[in-house]
Amino acid sequence: MSSKISTCFLSHGLTGLNHRSSNVRFLASPSHRLLPSSCRMRHRSFSLQNKKHHVKKMSSRRPSIIINGEMEPENIASQNVPIGSQEIMSNSDSDLDSGDGSDEDLTNQTIIDVENENDAPNESRTLSEAEKTNLVQNIPELQAIVNDAGQQLSGLQMEDLVGMIRNAEKNIVLLDQARVRALNDLGSIMSEKEALQGEINVLEMKLVETDARMKVAAQEKLHVELLEDQLEKLKDELVQRSRIDRNESDVYKDHDYPLNQENSPSHHSIVHPHMYKDHKHPLNRDDSQPMQSSIYTLREELRSLRTENESLKNDIQALRDDLNGVKSTDERVIILEKEQSYLESALKNLESKLSDSREDVSKLSTLKFEYKDLLEKVENLQVLLDKATKQADQAILELQQNQELQKKVDKLEESLKEANIYKLSSEKLQQYNELMQQKIKLLEDRLERSDEEVLSYLQLYQESVQEFQDTLNSLKEESNKRALNEPVDDLPREFWSHLLLRIDGWFLEKKISANDANLLGEMVWKRERRICNAYMVCKEKNERDAISTFVGLISKAPTSPGLHVVHIAAEMAPVAKVGGLGDVVTGLSKALQKKGHLVEIILPKYDCMQYDRVRDLRALDFEVESYFEGRLFKNKIWIGTIEGLPVYFIEPLHPDKFFWRGQFYGEHDDFKRFSFFSRAALELLLQAGKKPDIIHCHDWQTAFVAPLYWDLYAPKGLNSARICFTCHNFEYQGTAPASEMASCGLDVQQLNRPDRMQDNSSHERVNPIKGAVVFSNIVTTVSPTYAQEVRTAEGGRGLHTTLNLHSKKFIGILNGIDTDAWNPASDSFLEVQYSATDVLGKAENKSALRRQLGLSRANPRQPLVSCITRLVPQKGVHLIRHAMYRTMELGGQFILLGSSPILHIQREFEGIVSQFQNHDHVRLILKYDESLSHRIYAASDMFIIPSIFEPCGLTQMIAMRYGSIPIARKTGGLNDSVFDVDDDTVPLQFRNGFTFLNADEQGLSSAFERAFNHYNNSAETWQQLVQKVMNLDFSWDSSASQYEELYSKSVARARAAQRT
């Protein structure tokens, strides 16, 4: 009953019942229009500054009404309601009935501000006559409900609805008060505005007066300048007069005139007039006194004018200050006008809310009458149900009595049938007993025979149990033996790499024989449990005991089906990385290792490596001597593991310190440095007694390995391997004068020939890349399209004829990426990890990168375009620069991460950096930063690769792994990995980016415009594209399988040739 009655009240906007005897709260539904606005009480301040303060600190809590409950004093008695709050003020019935004066306090101390409603209110409804009739007819169904809710209905009081009506009326009164207060505030603001307007008029008059005084001052200044000019002229005349006086005195001396007072020069005009008849003076002595007085007067006037000028300057400054005050007053007037409009809108809202509240009061009175009618109906139903209950109880009692009587009758009938049957069978009972005795005798005979059979079966069972036990023991022994030889897969790759390096170290230090090292290495290769257990046992032992324990494990075992692959390279990510070569060496090696092959890497020991990424790095007590420039030089050998791979580091003890230069490439003697390293690496394999199946060398830095292997080391016994050479970029061929090739021991006369290492464009130079192509068993490059491009004159950089000549062993295999290192779901460099199924974290990484780099965050949907590359001509530097400006034109943001080894390109981009120093939408970082690159991939919406040529390219694959859509030129590996979303000739499931063919600004702009159009106008389609590219598989599994097939075929052909 309670549940159905609650449903009825819910239809009228109420969510609970309240009784005086209990403190249950009666809440109004938020969608009901009983109280359409929410409010909260707070202290009010009528100053303009406090008004602004209240507007900024508006509350945001959800609306709720407590009709029967305790009212919190701090929310009612001591608070005013700021406009925009979302709390609904109400009072309890006890507070309303007590008459404690709280209404007056609320009236005197509070105002109510109202916010707009978000949801349309639900209209209340009344029960129709059909519903009432249906309710009366369903008396049996309501019986249980009425029984449960009877006690609650008996205590229901009308005061609940009265309290709700009082609260509504109280809210109406408060709304009227708020309206009056708002009108008062509006009047005070208008009076303040009029006062400020009067002040403005006064200041404008002062400004006019100031302008007039400034004009007068300017005229006075001109007058002073004229007077100063006249004064200068008078000074010049006085100087001339003094000169004339001196001349006259000289004349008196020449004529021997007495120099007494009467005949002095001052009276010569009277005593000796004939002396001046030939002289013409502009002024005589008698005129000097008035002239001096006029000069003095001019000076005084000039001094007074200067004083007045200073006072005028002070007045001008004061007027300027007044003018600034006028400007601030204008701003204050604008603020007051805004507040006035805001209050007018609030007043309109209050009026609308007041009308809604009045409508709700009328609806509430209707609800009151319906409630009374419903209560009477329920009481009538209760009476009827009581009568029906009594009748049902009587019927149930009678039915139970009838059932008991029926059971007794059934029992009597069954006993009667049994008596009749017994009477009929009593005559045959005697015959039955005789037959039973005969059967018992037969059973006893059979029992004796069965005992004999059971004894025989028991003996057979005991014999079979013994046989089973013997078989089980033998199986256990065989299982233990097999367990020792089974591979252990629950240990990390770092463990096995460390163990392999330890065994090789013992051999190189002459502590075990080559045969023992090979057998132990094979156990490690196959990950046998017995060598794992031996290592665990020997952890606490000294080295001698450990060696004896390991040597004791040696026994003949079947050879492993895997291959032994040795990579000789100049780079390896992440410890020594310049470009994609380092990523390929690490990624391919890890993929081959997962397929069960033994993989080792040999690197130079650079001084600038990231040594913190090398685990268990240590130097062996062993040095390899290698030939160079007619001498033997020692090389220190270091071992360690990088991402679970065993690595050997060669440190040449050469006086030129080949790999202690602070950089990987770019030295004047790079040809000597890496030819030395190539020979030292082969010397290490020879002296370590290794028998690899594949020696894989990379780029021109280790291309020397191929001719050195076949010319010098295969005759010495290092002849088990096939040579695989991979050129990652035919742009860099490492050519040098032919004479320098002799430094590492190669025969210049034999190799500087057109069919061997002689450079195709210069007969006096040798080409290491060409030598590797000629002398290797397998030649690969990093994508199928690039393999076709380099066989042309334009793409081959002079080697196209050599590649076409050896085309049968030349193939292009698309590189992969290390999906463990580049994984947005586990990338520790990111602000938030995310995946293809949950891409919300990409937006958070975008916001975090903008904040880190100081870019604008005003529009979260503003597209972010990025580029991570080396700034060399091959990468399309002019197109990268154009992409930056085009991105800004289209309303996006642009980030560049990378540097240039070419000085003028680096300086050009440094100038662009200074141009966009604090730009909101452009940021250029001219260096390589590993952690920042991860964050850029994760934050970018689009990623550009406008390369002029691109052998493979890994950045587009990494970008797609992180959900950044590539915009790439159709060349090399980009053509094999990026397919245009608008290209109908490509199957839909392979379309993953935007491409352009021509390496010009028009082609790039077209691709940009299509990408921005998709991003801005098809948000859902763009999101699907992001999820699709993140699910693409660019791992090394597929590429490693192709290399594995090439390795196996080459080794198989070599072994078949040896057998024949």
Side-chain angles (χ1 to χ4, degrees):
M1 183 65 184
S2 63
S3 63
K4 292 198 174 183
I5 291 176
S6 299
T7 305
C8 177
F9 280 99
L10 279 171
S11 68
H12 292 78
L14 305 177
T15 58
L17 297 174
N18 194 3
H19 310 279
R20 278 196 177 274
S21 58
S22 62
N23 196 20
V24 180
R25 295 191 176 189
F26 203 138
L27 301 178
S29 172
S31 63
H32 195 266
R33 294 188 62 177
L34 176 63
L35 291 177
S37 60
S38 58
C39 53
R40 182 172 65 178
M41 311 303 294
R42 286 189 180 174
H43 288 292
R44 180 172 181 85
S45 174
F46 293 99
S47 66
L48 292 176
Q49 294 181 352
N50 288 334
K51 288 177 185 177
K52 297 177 184 178
H53 183 67
H54 282 302
V55 170
K56 291 181 180 178
K57 294 188 176 180
M58 295 188 294
S59 173
S60 59
R61 286 180 282 179
R62 299 290 300 170
S64 62
I65 299 177
I66 300 177
I67 295 178
N68 278 336
E70 297 299 329
M71 181 176 292
E72 296 178 4
E74 62 182 357
N75 290 337
I76 300 297
S78 62
Q79 292 184 357
N80 289 334
V81 182
I83 294 174
S85 69
Q86 290 185 339
E87 292 187 8
I88 298 178
M89 184 279 297
S90 66
N91 202 352
S92 64
D93 292 342
S94 60
D95 291 333
L96 289 172
D97 296 338
S98 62
D100 56 357
S102 60
D103 292 345
E104 294 180 0
D105 294 337
L106 290 171
T107 303
N108 295 330
Q109 298 179 7
T110 62
I111 64 170
I112 296 179
D113 299 323
V114 183
E115 72 171 3
N116 295 329
E117 290 179 288
N118 294 326
D119 300 327
N122 295 327
E123 298 295 338
S124 61
R125 67 179 184 88
T126 61
L127 291 174
S128 65
E129 292 299 327
E131 291 175 340
K132 294 177 182 177
T133 304
N134 187 27
L135 183 62
V136 174
Q137 290 175 355
N138 293 333
I139 292 174
E141 297 179 0
L142 294 173
Q143 180 180 3
I145 300 172
V146 171
N147 289 334
D148 294 337
Q151 294 179 356
Q152 296 180 4
L153 289 174
S154 63
L156 190 62
Q157 300 297 331
M158 290 299 297
E159 283 78 358
D160 297 328
L161 292 175
V162 173
M164 294 171 61
I165 293 170
R166 288 181 179 177
N167 286 329
E169 292 174 350
K170 183 177 179 180
N171 287 336
I172 292 170
V173 171
L174 293 175
L175 288 172
D176 290 335
Q177 294 174 357
R179 181 180 180 184
V180 172
R181 292 178 184 274
L183 291 173
N184 293 335
D185 289 346
L186 183 60
S188 63
I189 290 172
M190 293 299 296
S191 62
E192 289 180 3
K193 180 180 178 182
E194 291 176 357
L196 290 173
Q197 187 64 41
E199 292 180 3
I200 291 171
N201 294 334
V202 172
L203 290 174
E204 288 178 350
M205 293 176 64
K206 289 184 178 181
L207 185 62
V208 172
E209 293 177 358
T210 302
D211 292 338
R213 295 178 66 182
M214 289 176 65
K215 291 178 180 179
V216 172
Q219 294 175 358
E220 293 292 339
K221 185 176 180 181
L222 293 174
H223 182 61
V224 168
E225 291 176 354
L226 292 174
L227 292 176
E228 287 178 349
D229 293 339
Q230 293 179 3
L231 181 62
E232 291 295 329
K233 291 178 180 179
L234 291 174
K235 287 181 179 180
D236 294 339
E237 290 178 357
L238 288 174
V239 171
Q240 291 177 1
R241 180 176 291 277
S242 62
R243 289 177 180 174
I244 293 171
D245 291 341
R246 284 196 299 269
N247 293 333
E248 289 178 352
S249 62
D250 293 338
V251 171
Y252 278 111
K253 290 179 181 180
D254 293 339
H255 293 81
D256 297 328
Y257 290 109
L259 296 176
N260 54 15
Q261 186 174 2
E262 289 77 13
N263 297 327
S264 63
S266 60
H267 297 90
H268 67 278
S269 60
I270 299 173
V271 179
H272 303 287
H274 62 276
M275 296 297 297
Y276 299 93
K277 62 181 179 180
D278 296 330
H279 293 279
K280 295 180 181 179
H281 298 289
L283 292 173
N284 55 24
R285 286 184 177 270
D286 295 334
D287 296 333
S288 62
Q289 294 297 330
M291 182 63 67
Q292 291 177 356
S293 61
S294 64
I295 292 171
Y296 178 78
T297 303
L298 287 173
R299 286 179 178 175
E300 291 297 327
E301 186 177 357
L302 180 62
R303 193 176 295 111
S304 63
L305 287 174
R306 286 177 178 173
T307 305
E308 186 177 358
N309 191 19
E310 291 295 328
S311 64
L312 286 174
K313 288 181 180 179
N314 295 333
D315 293 341
I316 291 170
Q317 184 62 36
L319 288 173
R320 287 177 180 173
D321 296 338
D322 292 341
L323 184 60
N324 293 331
V326 169
K327 292 181 180 178
S328 62
T329 305
D330 291 338
E331 295 175 356
R332 186 180 176 190
V333 168
I334 293 170
I335 294 171
L336 289 174
E337 289 176 351
K338 291 182 180 178
E339 290 184 356
Q340 178 185 352
S341 61
Y342 182 77
L343 287 172
E344 289 175 353
S345 62
L347 184 59
K348 291 180 181 178
N349 291 332
L350 286 172
E351 291 174 353
S352 63
K353 301 300 181 181
L354 181 60
S355 61
D356 292 339
S357 298
R358 290 173 178 169
E359 292 176 1
D360 291 337
V361 171
S362 63
K363 291 178 182 179
L364 189 60
S365 63
T366 303
L367 178 63
K368 178 179 177 181
F369 292 115
E370 290 182 0
Y371 169 73
K372 289 181 180 180
D373 186 36
L374 180 61
L375 185 61
E376 292 176 358
K377 296 288 185 181
V378 172
E379 290 175 352
N380 294 332
L381 287 174
Q382 180 64 34
V383 174
L384 294 173
L385 287 175
D386 290 341
K387 293 178 180 180
T389 302
K390 291 178 181 180
Q391 294 175 0
D393 292 340
Q394 292 177 358
I396 290 170
L397 290 174
E398 292 177 358
L399 181 60
Q400 290 177 352
Q401 292 175 358
N402 291 335
Q403 289 177 352
E404 291 178 357
L405 290 172
Q406 186 65 36
K407 289 180 181 178
K408 291 179 180 180
V409 171
D410 292 339
K411 288 182 180 179
L412 289 173
E413 290 178 353
E414 289 177 358
S415 61
L416 181 61
K417 290 180 181 179
E418 290 176 355
N420 292 331
I421 294 170
Y422 179 73
K423 183 178 179 181
L424 293 173
S425 61
S426 60
E427 296 176 354
K428 299 180 181 179
L429 183 59
Q430 188 174 1
Q431 296 177 359
Y432 179 73
N433 288 335
E434 292 176 356
L435 291 174
M436 289 300 294
Q437 288 178 357
Q438 294 176 0
K439 289 181 179 180
I440 288 170
K441 289 181 180 180
L442 293 173
L443 288 173
E444 288 177 351
D445 294 338
R446 290 181 180 178
L447 183 61
E448 291 178 358
R449 290 195 298 271
S450 66
D451 289 339
E452 294 176 356
E453 291 177 357
V454 167
L455 290 174
S456 63
Y457 286 140
L458 183 61
Q459 291 176 355
L460 291 173
Y461 172 73
Q462 291 176 348
E463 292 175 358
S464 63
V465 168
Q466 185 62 37
E467 184 179 358
F468 174 76
Q469 190 66 36
D470 295 339
T471 304
L472 182 62
N473 292 334
S474 63
L475 288 174
K476 286 182 178 180
E477 292 178 359
E478 291 179 2
S479 178
N480 291 333
K481 292 179 180 179
R482 190 179 297 110
L484 292 174
N485 295 325
E486 284 182 354
V488 180
D489 296 326
D490 56 351
L491 290 174
R493 295 191 300 270
E494 287 83 353
F495 171 81
W496 299 107
S497 298
H498 173 71
L499 189 56
L500 182 64
L501 291 173
R502 189 170 186 178
I503 293 170
D504 287 343
W506 288 341
F507 167 68
L508 293 173
E509 293 169 353
K510 308 300 182 184
K511 295 176 181 177
I512 59 175
S513 65
N515 185 49
D516 292 344
N518 290 333
L519 292 175
L520 290 173
E522 190 173 343
M523 292 180 193
V524 174
W525 187 359
K526 294 188 291 184
R527 301 187 179 184
E528 293 185 5
R529 186 174 297 278
R530 53 180 175 169
I531 197 167
C532 174
N533 295 337
Y535 177 79
M536 297 300 179
V537 171
C538 296
K539 272 188 173 182
E540 305 299 330
K541 295 182 179 181
N542 58 37
E543 189 176 44
R544 181 177 297 177
D545 294 338
I547 291 174
S548 61
T549 301
F550 274 78
V551 172
L553 297 174
I554 295 173
S555 62
K556 292 184 179 181
T559 59
S560 173
L563 297 171
H564 183 187
V565 181
V566 176
H567 286 275
I568 302 176
E571 296 181 35
M572 181 181 181
V575 297
K577 175 183 173 181
V578 174
L581 168 60
D583 294 310
V584 171
V585 172
T586 303
L588 177 59
S589 298
K590 289 169 68 175
L592 291 171
Q593 190 183 60
K594 288 180 181 179
K595 292 180 177 293
H597 303 291
L598 174 60
V599 183
E600 297 174 308
I601 299 98
I602 302 177
L603 292 176
K605 189 176 182 294
Y606 299 101
D607 60 341
C608 52
M609 285 195 310
Q610 296 185 31
Y611 286 95
D612 58 327
R613 307 295 291 271
V614 184
R615 296 189 59 182
D616 303 320
L617 180 65
R618 69 183 183 92
L620 297 178
D621 187 14
F622 168 75
E623 293 178 345
V624 172
E625 288 188 340
S626 62
Y627 174 88
F628 196 73
E629 293 181 337
R631 295 176 51 190
L632 290 177
F633 290 93
K634 293 182 178 181
N635 298 273
K636 193 173 183 179
I637 308 300
W638 297 70
I639 57 174
T641 59
I642 300 174
E643 297 192 3
L645 296 166
V647 183
Y648 298 85
F649 300 94
I650 296 178
E651 179 185 358
L653 302 180
H654 191 281
D656 289 341
K657 297 187 180 299
F658 284 142
F659 301 109
W660 290 82
R661 307 286 183 84
Q663 61 180 357
F664 301 111
Y665 308 135
E667 297 294 318
H668 67 282
D669 57 349
D670 276 354
F671 190 92
K672 287 187 176 182
R673 295 169 68 213
F674 290 103
S675 61
F676 181 98
F677 166 70
S678 298
R679 176 149 189 172
L682 290 174
E683 194 68 36
L684 172 62
L685 294 177
L686 178 65
Q687 296 188 28
K690 292 184 177 294
K691 298 291 183 180
D693 297 304
I694 296 291
I695 296 177
H696 196 150
C697 46
H698 302 265
D699 277 349
W700 77 263
Q701 288 86 358
T702 56
F704 305 97
V705 168
L708 284 170
Y709 177 83
W710 292 114
D711 278 10
L712 300 178
Y713 284 90
K716 293 182 180 181
L718 183 63
N719 55 3
S720 62
R722 303 291 94 183
I723 304 298
C724 177
F725 171 71
T726 298
C727 183
H728 298 258
N729 192 338
F730 282 91
E731 178 78 8
Y732 308 101
Q733 299 180 9
T735 62
S739 58
E740 292 192 13
M741 186 171 56
S743 299
C744 62
L746 290 173
D747 190 336
V748 177
Q749 292 182 352
Q750 291 295 323
L751 295 178
N752 188 22
R753 291 163 45 181
D755 59 340
R756 296 194 179 178
M757 292 185 67
Q758 187 180 84
D759 188 55
N760 292 338
S761 59
S762 175
H763 297 169
E764 301 300 325
R765 300 178 71 83
V766 290
N767 190 325
I769 296 287
K770 181 179 178 181
V773 171
V774 172
F775 283 93
S776 296
N777 304 101
I778 305 168
V779 180
T780 70
T781 191
V782 291
S783 70
T785 299
Y786 188 58
Q788 296 299 320
E789 291 174 351
V790 296
R791 292 177 64 181
T792 64
E794 181 182 359
R797 299 297 193 270
L799 288 178
H800 57 285
T801 55
T802 304
L803 292 172
N804 286 319
L805 183 64
H806 296 273
S807 60
K808 290 184 178 180
K809 61 180 178 181
F810 180 52
I811 188 173
I813 299 175
L814 186 67
N815 286 338
I817 59 173
D818 188 346
T819 53
D820 294 330
W822 299 102
N823 185 4
S826 60
D827 196 331
S828 60
F829 292 117
L830 303 188
E831 183 81 8
V832 178
Q833 285 77 35
Y834 63 98
S835 63
T837 58
D838 180 17
V839 296
L840 295 178
K842 186 169 179 65
E844 297 182 40
N845 283 290
K846 182 178 180 179
S847 177
L849 182 66
R850 284 172 163 176
R851 182 174 60 253
Q852 177 187 351
L853 298 181
L855 295 174
S856 172
R857 291 179 287 162
N859 181 11
R861 277 280 300 162
Q862 186 176 10
L864 178 61
V865 183
S866 64
C867 180
I868 301 176
T869 185
R870 290 183 301 116
L871 296 174
V872 293
Q874 168 201 339
K875 301 297 182 180
V877 174
H878 67 291
L879 295 178
I880 294 173
R881 184 173 57 250
H882 175 72
M884 177 181 64
Y885 291 105
R886 189 60 181 148
T887 299
M888 289 189 291
E889 291 173 359
L890 294 173
Q893 293 180 323
F894 187 85
I895 297 175
L896 170 67
L897 177 64
S899 61
S900 177
I902 302 173
L903 185 59
H904 73 88
I905 295 178
Q906 182 74 11
R907 288 180 177 174
E908 177 186 358
F909 277 85
E910 287 173 355
I912 298 175
V913 169
S914 61
Q915 179 184 353
F916 294 97
Q917 187 71 36
N918 297 313
H919 202 278
D920 289 339
H921 305 297
V922 176
R923 198 67 72 238
L924 281 68
I925 303 97
L926 300 184
K927 63 178 181 178
Y928 182 75
D929 187 323
E930 179 73 16
S931 61
L932 182 58
S933 69
H934 285 249
R935 293 193 287 272
I936 292 175
Y937 283 123
S940 301
D941 297 303
M942 306 168 201
F943 192 91
I944 64 163
I945 318 98
S947 302
I948 305 303
F949 70 94
E950 188 63 67
C952 175
L954 300 179
T955 57
Q956 77 276 11
M957 302 180 193
I958 298 171
M960 286 187 276
R961 175 76 167 161
Y962 283 75
S964 181
I965 307 304
I967 302 174
R969 181 172 173 266
K970 294 173 66 66
T971 180
L974 300 174
N975 189 51
D976 296 323
S977 56
V978 182
F979 305 98
D980 201 289
V981 298
D982 298 324
D983 189 353
D984 295 335
T985 63
V986 178
L988 185 62
Q989 64 269 24
F990 298 119
R991 303 179 197 174
N992 57 2
F994 299 88
T995 62
F996 60 98
L997 182 60
N998 297 325
D1000 52 27
E1001 295 179 357
Q1002 290 78 11
L1004 178 62
S1005 295
S1006 175
F1008 254 74
E1009 291 166 4
R1010 290 190 294 115
F1012 271 73
N1013 183 52
H1014 276 73
Y1015 182 87
N1016 293 325
N1017 300 328
S1018 305
E1020 184 177 354
T1021 305
W1022 186 273
Q1023 191 75 0
Q1024 294 173 356
L1025 180 61
V1026 169
Q1027 292 177 323
K1028 180 169 76 172
V1029 300
M1030 290 184 71
N1031 285 318
L1032 295 176
D1033 182 15
F1034 289 109
S1035 68
W1036 269 102
D1037 291 341
S1038 174
S1039 303
S1041 297
Q1042 295 182 60
Y1043 275 105
E1044 184 181 34
E1045 183 180 359
L1046 287 176
Y1047 293 163
S1048 300
K1049 288 182 179 179
S1050 181
V1051 171
R1053 286 195 297 267
R1055 290 174 180 172
Q1058 289 177 357
R1059 285 194 296 269
T1060 58

